[in-house]
Amino acid sequence: MRKLFNHLVCAAVAFALALPAGAAPASTDPSDAAMESIRPEAIRAHMNFLADDLLEGRGANSRGYEISARYMATEFESMGLTPAGDAGTYLQTVPLRSVRSEAANTTMSVTRNGNVETLTYRKDFLAAADPARKETSVEAPVIYVGFGVTAPELNYDDYKGIDAKGKIVAMVYEAPNFESSLKAHYSSIEQKIANAAAHGAVGLIVVNDPILEGLYSFKEQVRDLSRPGLRWLNKEGLPNDYFPQLHGGALLSLEASKQLFVGSGHTPEEVFQAAKEGKPLTFALPLTVKIHNLAKLEDVSSHNVVAKLEGSDPALKNEYLVYSAHLDHLGIGEAVKGDTIYNGALDNASGCAILLEVARAFSQMNPRPKRSILFVAVTGEEAGLLGSDYFGHYPTVSKDAIVANVNMDEDQMLWPLLDIIPFGAEHSTLDGVVKRAAERLHLALSPDPMPEQVIFIRSDQYSFVKQGIPAVYPSPGLKSNDPKIDPVAIFKEWEETRYHQPQDDMQQPNLDFSQAVKYAQFAYLCGWLITQDPQRPQWNAHDFFGDHYAKKM
Ligand SMILES: [Zn+2]
C-alpha cells in the first residue's frame, strides 16, 4: 500500500508539472510535497550518527549526550530554524541531581513477634535514595494498601477506612482496571508517592508480584540500578516530585514480598490474585519495618535542545505546536553479550532522526505553516521523563501559547507500517487529527493493545498532559497483511533481546527506513493539521486529564 501511494503522489506531481501555465494542479495541498521530501537515507544517516559507539549511549549528563545535543542544534541551525533555548541558544540547561544509594550503608529489616529478620540489599530489596538528604531512616508499622490508589472521580480508594498516618505503606505496582491511560496514570509511582504522602505515610514499600516480575523483573531492576537515579531541580534547588515527609522507600524481590505476608492471615497467592482481579485486599501487617539509607548526591546538568519555526499567520504564529523526542538513552552499563554501550538506536535515535526530518520538511515549506512550531529534543527521559517535565514546568515560550504536543519515541521500524496506536489522542480533539492523518496515509488506527505496559505515562507526552496540554504519542501498530510477518512476535522478541540493552544498535537486522518515512509522514501530518486549524486543540468535555490539569479558561 505504501508503494502504491508513493507512486500515486509522484504521478500527481509529474502531472502537475506537465500542465500548461495557469491550469489548476491536481493537488494543491502543500503538505503532499513536504511529506514526499522526507527521505529514508536522511533518517538512517542521523541514526547512524546518534547511535554510534563514540556517543557512548547518550546517557543524560554525559559527554556523548552533549555531543548528540550539539548535533541536533547544528542540524536545526542548518535548516534555518531559530534558537529557542536559553539566552538565544538552542540549548536549555536542565539542572539535575544524581542520586545513588551506598550499598554498604543501606539496610532493611523486618521485626515480627520480637524477631528481627535482616534483608540483603540487591538480593531481597532495593532502596530508593532520598534526593535531598544524605541519610534517612524510618521505622514504623506497615499497612498493605493494595494499589495505593485514590481516585475520587472514579469512586475508587484503596485508603478507604485506613489510617496511614505515621505508617509505612506497602503496595503492588499496578493500578485498578480503569481505561488504558487512566490505569497508566494511576500506576505511576509519582502518583502513588504523592498519595501516600497525602495520607500521612512516612515510608513506602513496593511489593513485587508475578505481574511486575513479568514486566520488569527484580533482576533487571538490580541491573539498572548500576546507574544513579536522576531528578531535575526547580529554581529553588528542590528535586521534582519530592515529599520530605517520606523517610524511606524500598522495592522487594518476589521472594521477599511473599515473606512479608507471613503471619498476616493472607497468603501471597491470595493477595496477588485479588490485585490481579482489580480488587486488592488492604490490611495491616503484624510487623514493623526499618529502612536506613545512605545516599551519594551530586548536582550535575544536561540540556534540552529547542528550535523554533515561526508561523506565517500574524495571529496564530503566537501559538506553538511542540514536537518532542527524547535524545538520551542509558549510556554505558553492565555488559550484555560482551557489549557495554547502550546505543539506543530505536530508543530513541529513531525518534530524534524523525524529529529532524519532520523539522526539515516544515522548514522548506513556503508559505510556512500558520502556527509556530517548537522542535524539542529532551534529556533524561529514561531517568523519568526529566527533560520534558522540566520543559513543561519552565517552557521557553509562554505555557498558555503551547496548543499541543506530538511525541515520537521508539519507532519500531521492523515491519511494514499498516496502523498507528495514537496514545492519548482519545482525550482531546487530537482524536480527529489522527483520524484525518491516518485516512490520508491509508493507515488504520488501533487501540492500545497492551494496557498493562502503561505506555501512556512512559514517554514524554505525559509531561505535557500534566501541564494541561493535549498530547499524542503515535506508536507503530502491530497489524500485518502478510502471513509471514508477525509484528507481535517481532516486537516481543525485540523487547526481550534488545530493549534497553546494548543490542539496540544499528547492527540489528531488518531496520526498514521506508517504514520510518511513513511514520515520519504521519507525525508530520498530525502537526500540519494542528498548525493549520483555526481552532486550537481542546480537551474533551469532562475529560479526566483536561479536568485535572488544564487551566480553566
Ligand atoms: Zn527507553
Side-chain angles (χ1 to χ4, degrees):
M1 197 182 287
R2 179 182 54 251
K3 267 191 177 151
L4 180 60
F5 171 72
N6 287 350
H7 287 154
L8 276 177
V9 171
C10 289
V13 171
F15 174 64
L17 289 173
L19 284 173
S27 165
T28 52
D29 195 325
S31 58
D32 281 341
M35 280 193 291
E36 278 306 303
S37 76
I38 299 175
R39 294 178 305 122
E41 304 78 26
I43 293 172
R44 187 182 60 210
H46 297 311
M47 286 178 68
N48 273 334
F49 185 89
L50 294 171
D52 195 285
D53 275 357
L54 280 174
L55 269 63
E56 300 182 333
R58 306 185 308 282
N61 162 47
S62 72
R63 179 180 151 82
Y65 177 86
E66 289 302 314
I67 294 171
S68 70
R70 297 318 184 276
Y71 178 80
M72 297 297 286
T74 303
E75 288 291 314
F76 287 137
E77 186 176 3
S78 77
M79 297 169 201
L81 301 190
T82 315
D86 298 334
T89 73
Y90 290 97
L91 303 179
Q92 178 187 39
T93 301
V94 181
L96 297 172
R97 179 161 298 156
S98 141
V99 188
R100 192 196 286 270
S101 286
E102 283 189 10
N105 292 301
T106 297
T107 59
M108 182 168 178
S109 61
V110 177
T111 304
R112 197 173 349 219
N113 302 327
N115 299 322
V116 181
E117 305 152 32
T118 305
L119 280 71
T120 305
Y121 189 60
R122 288 169 69 98
K123 179 182 155 285
D124 303 316
F125 79 103
L126 291 170
D130 191 287
R133 289 172 294 209
K134 215 177 134 31
E135 188 167 7
T136 50
S137 218
V138 64
E139 182 166 17
V142 180
I143 300 188
Y144 174 70
V145 292
F147 301 127
V149 166
T150 302
E153 56 295 296
L154 295 158
N155 230 331
Y156 186 94
D157 189 7
D158 285 323
Y159 284 88
K160 198 172 164 189
I162 284 178
D163 181 10
K165 220 163 181 217
K167 311 268 171 43
I168 294 173
V169 286
M171 60 190 70
V172 286
Y173 147 85
E174 299 95 66
N177 293 322
F178 302 150
E179 162 279 305
S180 161
S181 41
L182 260 77
K183 182 182 172 81
H185 170 76
Y186 277 113
S187 71
S188 107
I189 190 69
E190 288 81 12
Q191 294 299 328
K192 295 191 177 202
I193 289 171
N195 198 30
H199 283 90
V202 292
L204 188 148
I205 294 172
V206 176
V207 167
N208 212 329
D209 66 359
I211 296 179
L212 177 59
E213 188 63 22
L215 289 169
Y216 188 15
S217 73
F218 186 75
K219 203 174 136 220
E220 288 169 303
Q221 304 224 30
V222 170
R223 178 195 73 195
D224 290 348
L225 207 86
S226 63
R227 303 177 182 87
L230 288 171
R231 299 290 192 94
W232 62 262
L233 302 174
N234 69 14
K235 302 286 182 203
E236 289 75 48
L238 280 174
N240 65 288
D241 295 300
Y242 181 57
F243 297 93
Q245 57 270 56
L246 295 172
H247 292 269
L251 167 76
L252 297 181
S253 70
L254 185 55
E255 216 28 65
S257 299
K258 289 180 179 169
Q259 284 298 317
L260 196 70
F261 295 111
V262 169
S264 71
H266 300 280
T267 65
E269 289 71 27
E270 190 187 338
V271 174
F272 298 156
Q273 185 59 31
K276 195 177 168 190
E277 286 166 11
K279 296 186 176 63
L281 309 170
T282 58
F283 52 91
L285 292 163
L287 46 82
T288 61
V289 157
K290 185 176 180 185
I291 305 167
H292 176 254
N293 190 267
L294 209 62
K296 209 173 148 228
L297 308 178
E298 192 188 350
D299 284 359
V300 296
S301 67
S302 185
H303 293 101
N304 290 331
V305 187
V306 193
K308 175 173 111 173
L309 180 73
E310 189 163 285
S312 58
D313 183 276
L316 292 179
K317 73 173 187 184
N318 298 315
E319 295 183 345
Y320 296 83
L321 161 69
V322 174
Y323 275 105
S324 57
H326 77 87
L327 182 56
D328 67 300
H329 192 56
L330 298 166
I332 292 177
E334 267 181 33
V336 180
K337 296 181 187 134
D339 192 353
T340 57
I341 300 175
Y342 290 61
N343 305 77
L346 293 187
D347 185 11
N348 184 31
S350 70
C352 287
I354 290 164
L355 179 74
L356 287 174
E357 288 312 299
V358 167
R360 187 185 309 282
F362 274 112
S363 73
Q364 289 168 349
M365 294 187 79
N366 188 15
R368 297 185 306 274
K370 290 179 179 170
R371 282 198 178 80
S372 296
I373 305 178
L374 289 186
F375 299 94
V376 189
V378 293
T379 187
E381 188 268 358
E382 303 288 12
L385 316 184
L386 301 179
S388 57
D389 198 33
Y390 185 82
F391 184 84
H393 282 78
Y394 302 111
T396 55
V397 299
S398 152
K399 199 181 290 179
D400 293 340
I402 300 176
V403 303
N405 166 244
V406 177
N407 184 52
M408 293 165 294
D409 190 3
E410 245 185 63
D411 176 23
Q412 294 281 331
M413 53 184 84
L414 300 168
W415 58 87
L417 187 68
L418 299 181
D419 63 322
I420 294 276
I421 305 157
F423 288 100
E426 70 276 20
H427 296 283
S428 69
T429 54
L430 293 178
D431 200 38
V433 170
V434 297
K435 277 185 183 137
R436 285 164 67 197
E439 202 170 302
R440 245 180 85 185
L441 291 171
H442 305 291
L443 290 164
L445 291 173
S446 298
D448 183 354
M450 42 196 163
E452 73 285 358
Q453 290 271 358
V454 299
I455 308 279
F456 179 65
I457 65 155
R458 282 175 55 191
S459 190
D460 296 298
Q461 71 283 346
Y462 187 52
S463 298
F464 290 90
V465 168
K466 289 204 287 183
Q467 297 300 326
I469 298 163
V472 60
Y473 163 35
S475 182
L478 300 165
K479 278 194 199 305
S480 170
N481 57 7
D482 180 345
K484 292 195 287 299
I485 298 174
D486 179 357
V488 176
I490 297 170
F491 179 63
K492 234 181 132 209
E493 202 214 323
W494 186 86
E495 287 263 300
E496 274 159 23
T497 59
R498 299 184 192 273
Y499 172 71
H500 281 202
Q501 296 178 48
Q503 284 68 37
D504 177 17
D505 59 14
M506 292 304 281
Q507 280 72 53
Q508 64 190 297
N510 303 323
L511 294 180
D512 174 1
F513 298 98
S514 64
Q515 186 277 9
V517 167
K518 188 118 188 176
Y519 177 80
Q521 288 173 332
F522 182 81
Y524 164 88
L525 206 46
C526 290
W528 167 252
L529 294 170
I530 294 166
T531 54
Q532 297 310 100
D533 191 337
Q535 288 292 319
R536 61 190 276 173
Q538 304 286 335
W539 291 100
N540 296 340
H542 314 300
D543 181 75
F544 172 82
F545 295 102
D547 286 356
H548 246 66
Y549 294 118
K551 203 167 72 181
K552 299 285 171 281
M553 303 274 182

